[in-house]
Amino acid sequence: MTIITVNAPTGRLSHEQRRTLAETLTDAVLVPEVGQFAPPARVGFQVHFVEREPDMMAIGGRLLADIGPDADVMVIDVAVMDGDWRQEVRSAVVERVLAAMADACGLSKPSASWWVNLRVIDEGSWGSSGGVLSVLSLLDSGVFTEEKVKAVRAALGA
């Protein structure tokens, strides 16, 4: 289970860019999280696009409305269930998210003012279907590689 929230100035992302990002951001996190490209796992991912007026975002102590149209600020928040989140896995997610954003926006590289936050939600702190959900209950779903199953169990002491 993963929630990806893209915070951007109003109008920064077109409908087509959001359509592309819905899939590419999902896969950017899915592959490192489960250890392989597994389309059936996509059902456990949500991507939310939040638009904010330029007078509701600031960078460097200045409102975007005061900076002008050259300010290209976005924050992508990725919330994931606890599991195998060693530094190399976290780095892969951040890099893949930024690459997906740049590609969808038609840029050769991400803007320095696009920031990604990767937050790991502690085991026992994710709710769904009327109760608390554990990543451990998802390990036998067939979407995780054997290597990932072992790594998640080791990371959680299970």
Side-chain angles (χ1 to χ4, degrees), residues 14-122:
S14 70
H15 180 80
E16 284 305 313
Q17 287 170 320
R18 291 191 304 273
R19 176 178 281 130
T20 297
L21 287 166
E23 183 175 317
T24 59
L25 288 175
T26 293
D27 293 343
V29 181
L30 182 153
V31 172
E33 186 170 11
V34 304
Q36 64 183 345
F37 178 64
R42 285 179 173 161
V43 71
F45 287 71
Q46 293 185 21
V47 180
H48 298 217
F49 297 96
V50 179
E51 292 189 324
R52 302 188 190 282
E53 292 298 324
D55 65 345
M56 300 300 284
M57 295 179 78
I59 189 166
R62 296 181 60 208
L63 291 174
L64 297 187
D66 296 337
I67 297 172
D70 292 335
D72 190 13
V73 174
M74 287 194 266
V75 175
I76 303 94
D77 183 71
V78 181
V80 296
M81 296 178 83
D82 206 352
D84 175 32
W85 293 108
R86 294 165 286 143
Q87 186 57 53
E88 61 264 25
V89 179
R90 291 170 185 252
S91 294
V93 168
V94 169
E95 291 165 4
R96 291 170 60 93
V97 164
L98 287 168
M101 293 296 299
D103 187 57
C105 292
L107 301 174
S108 60
K109 65 179 186 170
S111 168
S113 54
W114 297 353
W115 298 347
V116 177
N117 297 319
L118 177 63
R119 295 182 299 117
V120 178
I121 308 302
D122 291 338

Side-chain angles (χ1 to χ4, degrees), residues 1 43-44 46 81 125-134 137-138:
M1 309 296 277
V43 71
Q46 293 185 21
M81 296 178 83
S125 299
W126 197 286
S128 178
S129 303
V132 176
L133 185 62
S134 170
S137 66
L138 303 174

